[in-house]
């Protein structure tokens, strides 16, 4: 039996963009149902275990008010709940982990708690309904509109048909798009399609997508032995060396993303080499009362556990399952290699004191609930953001393209990890950019909006649109847009293409703390 649920807005996917969208629509008085496959909302921040990766000005400007409220909430949570040292408590911009990747490295469970706090007024009043452990399985359309989406409870098998005037796809892979027959793009476009300097020569490669990663958490207890069982695929990964890599993948050698020159890493700080443990450290034991943390804790999302042997989008279920399994095997093999064979500065081999922290990520196998997905299906949009719009090499005036229909801002380098097509990093500068409303409007569908990494960007520009603050801004703009359209009886397309309505909608965004333009600053 299928039950029905009606709301003003259905958000499929409870990640960063989905949470921001639900918050935005709820602020406008709309009823929202948000679904999420895993037990945790928060996506990159929680179930994928990726600390916020942000631009240099994030503490001053360049994000929405609500994203800043999330960041402030994380710091406040640590101050209110954790026994911080006096020195840590006195730091205005507290970084709980002091990781080198971000100014705010924190534990996934803290992000989860803060997101629940932000949603609590709307959940407890009944305006927002959150359905965790629900997977999208079907969508029903009539003409150019989605009528309903069906989700299944992954534990009970119960089905629920969700009906609403608007649907937002906030899934990590753009899962609603094929089920609803929405036109979309995957993989790498060609120069002939986009004219982008770094697009592919020759034909496009729809199955050439960025690698994904199963992140895990670990700490280090010197003198103890926490070696895991040898992974079934360990011998394969122990000997694996890609054609474009300077050494075996399981080694302390990688490549500089911008030049592809070999680079040597170290595990712990101590030399002039880059410390991988410090990279995504989410709990610095020295920030907390003595003895609370026996060791600092880090997240392992490194070049050595990026998985690129095959995509998981638009493949058979067997192939998808195979690649997900092998990606898990790669991450576990990396840990086992570090515990047993990794060269040490003291001439020994292995760090058996590395402990897999299953509790940090809430899973039995110690790996994140979901893989970190860097690239999604992307809608064919009224406007597609190209490399030419954001690359300083293409912008002689030193500023990104100005979009009169801006619904937010973002900033990150064009950062593409090795791909399933066997291509190495692309890591080039990007200018601080605007998010055009046209990139959120599908070519045909009237009541679907992207709210994650599935907006109108390319394989190249996805590289600077895929991180936390931009995904949040995209989701928030989509949530406000759906609420605005419902109030005014307009379509998203009409809002974008009617100057008076566009200006009115942008005024709403500004009132709600969405920045639409950058001050004069340089590339990153």
């Amino acid at each position: 039996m299928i039950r029905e649920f009606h709301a003003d807005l259905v958000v499929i996917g409870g990640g960063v963009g989905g949470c921001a969208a639900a918050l935005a629509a709820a602020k406008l008085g709309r009823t929202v149902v948000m679904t999420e496959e895993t037990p945790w909302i928060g996506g990159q921040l929680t179930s994928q275990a990726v600390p916020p990766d942000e631009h240099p000005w994030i503490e001053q400007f360049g994000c929405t008010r609500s994203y800043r409220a999330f960041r402030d909430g994380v710091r406040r949570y640590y101050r209110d709940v954790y026994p911080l040292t006096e020195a840590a408590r006195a730091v205005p911009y507290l970084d709980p982990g002091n990781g080198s990747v971000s100014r705010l490295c924190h534990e996934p469970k803290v992000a989860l708690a803060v997101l629940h706090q932000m949603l609590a007024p709307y959940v407890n009043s009944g305006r927002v309904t959150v359905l965790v452990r629900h997977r999208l399985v079907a969508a029903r359309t009539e003409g150019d509109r989605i009528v309903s989406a069906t989700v299944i409870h992954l534990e009970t098998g119960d089905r629920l048909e969700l009906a609403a005037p608007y649907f937002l796809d906030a899934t990590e892979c753009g899962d609603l798009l094929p089920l609803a027959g929405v036109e979309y793009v995957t993989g790498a476009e060609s120069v002939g399609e986009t004219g982008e300097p770094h697009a592919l020569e020759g034909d496009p490669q729809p199955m050439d997508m960025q690698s994904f990663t199963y992140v895990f958490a670990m700490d280090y207890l010197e003198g103890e032995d926490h070696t895991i069982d040898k992974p079934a695929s360990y011998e394969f990964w122990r000997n694996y060396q890609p054609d474009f890599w300077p050494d075996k993948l399981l080694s302390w050698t990688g490549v500089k993303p911008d030049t592809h020159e070999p680079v040597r890493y170290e595990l712990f700080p101590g030399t002039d080499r880059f410390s991988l443990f410090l990279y995504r450290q989410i709990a610095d034991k020295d920030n907390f009362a003595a003895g609370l943390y026996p060791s600092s804790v880090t997240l392992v999302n490194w070049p050595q556990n990026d998985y690129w042997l095959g995509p998981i989008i638009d493949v058979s279920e067997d192939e998808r399952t195979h690649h997900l399994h092998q990606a898990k095997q790669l991450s576990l093999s990396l840990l086992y290699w570090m515990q047993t064979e990794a060269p040490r500065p003291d001439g020994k081999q292995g760090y058996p004191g590395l402990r897999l922290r299953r509790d940090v990520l809430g899973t039995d196998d110690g790996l994140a609930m979901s893989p970190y997905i860097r690239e999604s299906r992307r809608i064919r949009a009224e406007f597609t953001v190209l490399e030419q719009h954001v690359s300083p090499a293409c912008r002689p005036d030193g500023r990104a393209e100005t979009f009169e229909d801006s619904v937010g801002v973002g900033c990150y380098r064009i950062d593409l990890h090795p791909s399933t097509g066997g291509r190495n990093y692309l890591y080039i500068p990007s200018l601080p950019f605007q998010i055009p409303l046209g990139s959120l409007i599908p070519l045909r569908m009237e009541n679907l909006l992207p709210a994650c990494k599935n907006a109108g960007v390319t394989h190249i520009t996805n590289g600077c649109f895929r991180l936390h603050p931009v995904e949040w801004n995209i989701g928030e703009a989509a949530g406000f847009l759906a609420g605005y359209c419902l109030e005014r009886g307009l379509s998203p397309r009409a809002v974008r293409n009617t100057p008076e309505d566009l200006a009115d909608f942008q005024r709403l965004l500004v009132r709600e703390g969405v920045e639409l333009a950058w001050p004069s600053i340089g590339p990153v």
Side-chain angles (χ1 to χ4, degrees), residues 155-175:
E155 295 171 4
T156 66
D158 293 340
R159 291 182 174 239
L160 187 60
E161 186 173 13
L162 308 174
Y166 280 92
F167 291 81
L168 272 59
D169 186 342
T171 61
E172 301 299 328
C173 295
D175 294 333

Side-chain angles (χ1 to χ4, degrees), residues 8-10 140-149 162-169 176 180 182 440-442 444-450 478 482 485-486 490-493:
D8 294 327
L9 189 66
V10 169
R140 186 163 60 90
T141 62
E142 291 180 1
D144 297 335
R145 302 186 68 83
I146 300 174
V147 176
S148 67
L162 308 174
Y166 280 92
F167 291 81
L168 272 59
D169 186 342
L176 181 56
V182 180
L440 306 188
I441 311 296
R444 180 180 58 84
M445 296 299 285
E446 295 293 343
N447 68 335
L448 171 108
L449 295 169
C485 289
L486 284 167
L490 299 170
S491 70
R493 201 179 317 280

Side-chain angles (χ1 to χ4, degrees), residues 211-283:
S211 52
F212 64 91
T213 305
Y214 264 107
V215 181
F216 61 92
M218 66 180 188
D219 58 10
Y220 182 64
L221 304 175
E222 179 68 47
E224 298 186 12
D225 188 348
H226 295 278
T227 305
I228 63 171
D229 293 338
K230 184 178 179 180
S233 298
Y234 179 67
E235 293 303 324
F236 172 81
W237 289 116
R238 179 178 180 272
N239 295 302
Y240 174 67
Q241 181 174 351
D243 294 340
F244 54 85
W245 213 250
D247 200 344
K248 292 179 180 178
L249 188 59
L250 300 190
S251 72
W252 295 134
T253 301
V255 299
K256 293 182 178 179
D258 51 348
T259 66
H260 299 170
E261 296 173 306
V263 61
R264 288 279 293 172
Y265 303 116
E266 64 177 357
L267 182 56
F268 299 111
T271 70
D272 58 352
R273 293 177 180 173
F274 184 82
S275 167
L276 289 169
F277 194 96
L278 189 60
Y279 183 33
R280 298 184 189 273
Q281 184 174 279
I282 54 170

Side-chain angles (χ1 to χ4, degrees), residues 104-222:
L104 189 62
C105 287
H106 54 80
E107 296 151 300
K109 287 181 180 177
V110 172
L112 180 65
V114 173
L115 290 171
H116 278 301
Q117 285 179 341
M118 296 177 74
L119 283 165
Y122 308 108
V123 170
N124 295 335
S125 66
R127 192 174 293 175
V128 172
T129 300
V130 179
L131 303 174
V132 297
R133 302 293 289 147
H134 280 76
R135 175 182 295 162
L136 175 70
V137 294
R140 186 163 60 90
T141 62
E142 291 180 1
D144 297 335
R145 302 186 68 83
I146 300 174
V147 176
S148 67
T150 301
V151 295
I152 186 171
H153 194 294
L154 294 177
E155 295 171 4
T156 66
D158 293 340
R159 291 182 174 239
L160 187 60
E161 186 173 13
L162 308 174
Y166 280 92
F167 291 81
L168 272 59
D169 186 342
T171 61
E172 301 299 328
C173 295
D175 294 333
L176 181 56
L177 305 183
L179 292 176
V182 180
E183 294 80 3
Y184 66 88
V185 180
T186 63
E189 294 93 345
S190 68
V191 174
E193 288 179 305
T194 67
E196 293 172 301
H198 288 90
L200 291 179
E201 297 290 344
D203 295 331
Q205 299 292 332
M207 304 308 288
D208 185 2
M209 305 176 200
Q210 283 195 73
S211 52
F212 64 91
T213 305
Y214 264 107
V215 181
F216 61 92
M218 66 180 188
D219 58 10
Y220 182 64
L221 304 175
E222 179 68 47

Side-chain angles (χ1 to χ4, degrees), residues 363-424:
T363 60
D364 292 336
D365 63 10
L367 303 176
M369 293 178 180
S370 294
Y372 173 37
I373 304 295
R374 296 183 176 88
E375 187 170 338
S376 172
R377 300 175 180 91
R378 308 179 294 276
I379 65 164
R380 290 195 179 274
E382 281 201 348
F383 184 87
T384 301
V385 181
L386 307 175
E387 181 183 353
Q388 298 92 306
H389 298 133
V390 300
S391 169
C394 304
R395 308 293 305 172
D397 63 354
R399 297 183 68 88
E401 183 78 27
T402 298
F403 297 125
E404 297 301 327
D405 63 342
S406 173
V407 292
V409 297
C411 182
Y412 201 76
R413 286 177 72 93
I414 294 175
D415 178 9
L416 275 67
H417 283 231
S419 72
T420 57
R423 291 185 295 125
N424 212 326

